[in-house]
């Protein structure tokens, strides 16, 4: 069963899914700036958004996004320096942010080089400073792991229980690492959440997330439907194979 305010867009392949995602990004950006003068967006790491970042850095997309009125945050980050090969910031910066005219002060990364709890607290301060006490993102782009984690909200991890903080350090026992992540209340407060899932390896997870037992501790991606906004899944045919 799907949360009532969610849709699933099945695209013929990963390229078409990236195109759809980039189109939604541009649409959300232009509408947000027209209505509120600013576009607040959070982007993930991983492989799924790579083609989306590359599209947004190319024409015509790069000219369609009001970059000077756009602020970019991250849904999560690894506890590594910004130039580390695993850094989500590095990925977005190399493929997109360094290639478009977004003011550097409009890009807000987690300080993965700091101790995790300090990095999360600093990010929370930045969120509150820029977006107020109850941040409302115009768009949160998410990926999903094969275990149905999203952002760095992994199954049965402490971050799933956070109801007050905006960002936390989350110890992921399965990986034996800390990760930095936005919390569920922030994600659910967004105007629009877009989950991008690509490839046959995600088919079982997509089925569990959308058609399986509702268990948000086991399947954290089930907890991202915005309270007032809209949730859209963009998947390719391979990832939709078990639906
Ligand atoms: C990260 C992401 C993470 C990602 C999923 C899916 O830091 O890796 O934010 O939540 O979206 O793990 O990763 P892929 O897109 O590589 O499948």
């Amino acid at each position: 069963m799907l949360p009532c305010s969610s849709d699933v867009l099945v695209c013929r392949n990963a390229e078409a899914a990236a195109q759809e995602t980039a189109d939604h990004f541009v649409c959300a950006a232009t509408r947000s700036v027209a209505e509120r003068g600013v576009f607040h967006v959070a982007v993930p790491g991983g492989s799924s958004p790579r083609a989306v970042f590359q599209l947004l850095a190319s024409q015509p997309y790069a000219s369609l996004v009001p970059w000077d009125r756009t602020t970019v945050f991250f849904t999560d980050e690894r506890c590594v320096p910004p130039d580390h090969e695993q850094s989500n910031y590095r990925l977005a910066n190399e493929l997109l942010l360094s290639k478009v005219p977004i003011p550097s002060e409009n890009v807000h990364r987690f300080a993965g080089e700091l101790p995790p709890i300090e990095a999360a607290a600093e990010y929370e301060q930045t969120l509150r400073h820029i977006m107020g006490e109850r941040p409302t993102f115009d768009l949160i782009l998410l990926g999903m792991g094969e275990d149905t984690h999203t952002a760095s909200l992994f199954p049965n991890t402490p971050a799933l229980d956070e109801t007050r903080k905006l960002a936390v350090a989350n110890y992921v026992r399965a990986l034996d690492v800390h990760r930095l992540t936005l919390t569920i209340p922030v994600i659910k407060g967004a105007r629009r959440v877009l989950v991008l899932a690509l490839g046959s390896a995600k088919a079982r997870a997509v089925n569990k997330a959308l058609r399986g037992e509702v268990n948000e501790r086991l399947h954290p991606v089930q907890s991202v439907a915005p309270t007032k906004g809209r949730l859209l899944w963009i998947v390719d045919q391979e990832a939709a194979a078990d639906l």
Side-chain angles (χ1 to χ4, degrees):
M1 75 300 294
L2 272 172
C4 57
S5 60
S6 60
D7 301 298
V8 180
L9 197 55
V10 180
C11 299
R12 65 186 180 285
N13 55 35
E15 185 183 348
Q19 195 103 34
E20 277 293 340
T21 306
D23 290 344
H24 277 83
F25 187 103
V26 169
C27 182
T30 49
R31 183 190 307 141
S32 304
V33 169
E35 292 174 358
R36 289 174 296 279
V38 66
F39 174 49
H40 294 305
V41 61
V43 297
S47 58
S48 301
R50 291 183 67 94
V52 180
F53 292 160
Q54 289 167 323
L55 272 178
L56 290 172
S58 66
Q59 296 304 337
Y61 294 97
S63 302
L64 294 173
V65 176
W67 296 108
D68 60 328
R69 310 307 303 269
T70 296
T71 63
V72 172
F73 291 82
F74 290 82
T75 59
D76 62 318
E77 185 55 276
R78 289 82 183 279
C79 294
V80 295
D83 58 354
H84 191 282
E85 62 179 4
Q86 288 187 1
S87 165
N88 292 347
Y89 164 78
R90 175 177 163 179
L91 174 76
N93 189 51
E94 283 183 351
L95 297 183
L96 173 59
L97 302 173
S98 62
K99 299 180 184 305
V100 294
I102 185 168
S104 57
E105 63 271 21
N106 288 19
V107 178
H108 305 285
R109 67 176 182 86
F110 281 94
E113 66 276 23
L114 294 180
I117 292 175
E118 188 179 335
E122 181 192 73
Y123 210 63
E124 169 145 3
Q125 281 186 336
T126 301
L127 281 162
R128 292 193 192 284
H129 175 66
I130 305 268
M131 298 171 75
E133 284 305 306
R134 298 170 65 87
T136 301
F137 278 95
D138 297 299
L139 174 65
I140 295 182
L141 176 58
L142 294 168
M144 180 190 65
E146 294 178 37
D147 60 357
T148 69
H149 83 263
T150 191
S152 282
L153 300 164
F154 285 79
N156 298 310
T157 55
L160 300 179
D161 301 319
E162 182 55 55
T163 58
R164 288 183 310 103
K165 291 180 180 173
L166 306 179
V168 294
N170 191 28
Y171 178 66
V172 184
R173 185 178 304 282
L175 304 174
D176 190 22
V177 293
H178 277 91
R179 287 279 192 93
L180 300 164
T181 187
L182 294 182
T183 58
I184 290 170
V186 173
I187 297 172
K188 291 186 79 70
R191 291 186 174 88
R192 195 163 187 82
V193 171
L194 198 164
V195 180
L196 178 61
L198 306 171
S200 55
K202 299 289 174 72
R204 278 172 53 82
V206 168
N207 178 277
K208 284 179 188 171
L210 296 177
R211 296 283 185 271
E213 167 207 10
V214 177
N215 182 331
E216 296 180 2
R217 289 201 66 77
L218 211 50
H219 305 311
V221 76
Q222 289 180 337
S223 59
V224 303
T227 308
K228 293 181 182 172
R230 287 198 63 76
L231 169 62
L232 174 66
W233 282 74
I234 295 183
V235 298
D236 62 8
Q237 282 178 347
E238 287 187 2
D242 292 356
L243 282 184

